[in-house]
Amino acid sequence: MIEKKVRCLQCGNIITSSGNPGEVILVTCPECGKKGKVTYKKEIQSDDVAIEAINLKKVYGDLIAVNSISFYVRKGEVFAFLGPNGAGKTTTVEMIESIRQPTEGTIKILGKDISRFFNEIKDKIGILPQEFFSFERFTVRETLLYYASLYKKNVDINEIISMMDLKDQENKLYMNLSGGLKQRVGVAIALVNDPEIIFLDEPSTGLDPKARREVWEVIADLRRKGKTIFLTTHYMEEAEYLADRIVIIHKGKIIAEGALEELINKYGDENILRIKDCKSKDIISKLKENDFETISEGNGDIAIKIKYKEQILEVLSFLKHECVDYSTIDIRRSNLEEIFLKLTGAKLREAS
Amino acid sequence: MNLKFIKTDLSLSVRSWLRSKGTVFWTILFPVLLILIFGAIFSGQGDIEYKLAVQNFDDTDLSTQFIEMLEESTFFNITTVDNDAEMAKYMQENDFIIGIQIPSDFGETIQEYFGDNTVSINITYYTDPTEQTTGPIAQSIISGMLNEYNNIITNSRNVVGMNHESILGEEFDFIDYFVPGMIGFTIMNSMVYGSIERNTKYRKDGILRKLLTMPVTRYDWIFSKMLFMMFLSFISTFVILIVGILVWGIGIQMNIFFFIIIIGTSFMFSGLGMLIGRFVKDQETADVAGGAITFPMMFLAGTFFPLDQMPDILQTIAQFLPLYYVNEALRNAVIYGDIDKTLFFMGFVIAFAIIFFSLGVIFTKWKED
């Protein structure tokens, strides 16, 4: 039996509930009567684990790049390793890929310790390294044939070309492709052995928004095909859009871990109502006097934490009553950027 | 060994090479252009002719015969110096760089030799010591002709000599000297810069990191790349030889040593390139480091000009340069046909190849720190 504390989505009341692993329990808030489901996850079984890192540490001189982190990746999920540049993402993924030697710790891929069995694992993984560029004067088809020739398994290159929508580019030289297409070829190379696990290290860095979207669609498609994807990124939108589970890493340490919903529920604030360009000078003090929890964001912008749905109407009525002039209002939930800010005191982009 | 990969790698590397006009230019066309240009400069004018001042104190037919021999060689435009003139002063006043003085007992000593084969006579060779190019070459030619003269007159006994000897083969033109040097130089550049590219650009582009996670060993990869590099070496070598033969009529003695030297040279300079690429990780800096090593070798290792023409200090330096041994081994193997010297220099080429390539393989890492 597991005991859990959950927050009522309507009134914000904290409710204590208990259940068994795998059960979904219906609970009712004693304060407002709102009903909701509480899920008790099954404990992870070793057969379900694609990657497991235990107390992983990497030290360069005085610098601890990765500080004794542990996490696992389930089979068939998109696992995002999110953090600013220099957080330790690439060092971690390169230790898992056996490119770097960990100072301490154990890494298992498909249940096998990579320090002993990495050669056996090579056939089962596909990798797109960070800032990867292939041979300039090979065509797309030649590039795929080249990397495919390294494996005993014979895969159909035509199938990969079609899957990655590279048919029109297959005879073009790699050097003549756009950044987005090069990344798509990079992902295609990672598929030449039909791997179970695909590592994509910052696959959309440096791409324009359209190309980034294209890469995201490719990754989403791979997930639909049942591949396990280990994605490192410093784009929270990428993690939000693609990931089943997210680990946030900062200064070599894991600071949060879970599905997007779990992270928001656990670390995020309530819904936030934002008033833009508010003209009234003493409005913040008046809001506080009326028990609204406010945050001044500068330049006349005000954020108000919404604890229950009706509070939105209460705020709007108050603003009307006080004849407050403003330009726009929006209401939204916390995102990963805000969670990162809350956990580290820095914005994700600023921390890079 | 992954033969499927090696075959694919070799075939795609050749295709990729052919698509790079710049690389094809530097590997094939540049050496061909140099051969044509240098050949035209030094061979197109016929044999080189030097102004030679001759002062003959001997009045026998034997000294006249020697002077005629010098004239017939086409190397020298001879000016006879009056016996009353002071030779050195005459040469200075009349802008002669080289001159010879035949002593008065020249003919008499040679005749005496047939009765007493212990006697000998020296001619005196005058040269302007500030002139580092013409003097040693002309001295070598005269020395060679004296040997021939001795052969004719005394059946190989050196009755007539000079104070200094030289090794320059008198029967060869400049282009015969130049072509093997060009082969060594071209292979050196292809191998050094090819290895630097593989160890710096491929590292920067993540290709080496990617290969590390794939089922290929570093040895399969290096072996495959060496096959390609040797293909390049032989292609450029044969193109240079064909141009040398067809355009300048050089005589080639093809033998097994030639192939061993080309293979050894390829391994030697690939290893050197690997070492540069290992310790200088940025590609631009590595290219500069490559240039800093190859450029001086181009001039100091007897690639384009005979080392005999260079000051002693440079000749000493040359003996520490790997390209010197390649050039000399190739010359002796395919041009001079001197097996002893070929084996001597080839031994150095093989030793350098083993040392550099082994160090290159040992120090080249795919793993990151």
Side-chain angles (χ1 to χ4, degrees), chain A residues 183-246:
Chain A
Q183 281 303 73
R184 228 192 287 169
V185 173
V187 178
I189 294 169
L191 300 176
V192 293
N193 55 326
D194 189 23
E196 291 178 37
I197 304 168
I198 302 161
F199 293 89
L200 304 172
D201 192 359
E202 306 268 3
S204 63
T205 298
L207 301 183
D208 61 55
K210 183 174 174 286
R212 185 174 299 162
R213 274 276 160 194
E214 287 173 4
V215 171
W216 289 3
E217 290 312 317
V218 166
I219 297 168
D221 196 38
L222 290 172
R223 186 194 178 284
R224 281 191 286 275
K225 288 183 166 61
K227 304 287 183 193
T228 304
I229 295 165
F230 189 111
L231 173 76
T232 70
T233 182
H234 62 268
Y235 294 123
M236 55 133 187
E237 308 92 323
E238 193 162 278
E240 283 178 349
Y241 183 77
L242 292 167
D244 297 304
R245 282 196 316 122
I246 300 163

Side-chain angles (χ1 to χ4, degrees), chain A residues 144-159:
Chain A
L144 296 177
L145 284 170
Y146 180 86
Y147 288 105
S149 73
L150 290 163
Y151 295 94
K152 285 178 191 147
K153 190 188 274 184
N154 285 316
V155 291
D156 186 354
I157 295 297
N158 292 320
E159 198 180 304

Side-chain angles (χ1 to χ4, degrees), chain B residues 25-66:
Chain B
F25 174 80
W26 289 108
T27 317
I28 303 284
L29 293 179
F30 179 68
V32 166
L33 276 175
L34 278 189
I35 287 175
L36 293 174
I37 292 166
F38 275 77
I41 292 169
F42 292 103
S43 302
Q45 299 168 343
D47 292 327
I48 302 162
E49 194 176 73
Y50 300 102
K51 267 173 69 183
L52 179 69
V54 176
Q55 192 173 39
N56 186 5
F57 290 107
D58 181 62
D59 55 3
T60 67
D61 288 344
L62 287 166
S63 58
T64 313
Q65 203 178 338
F66 177 62

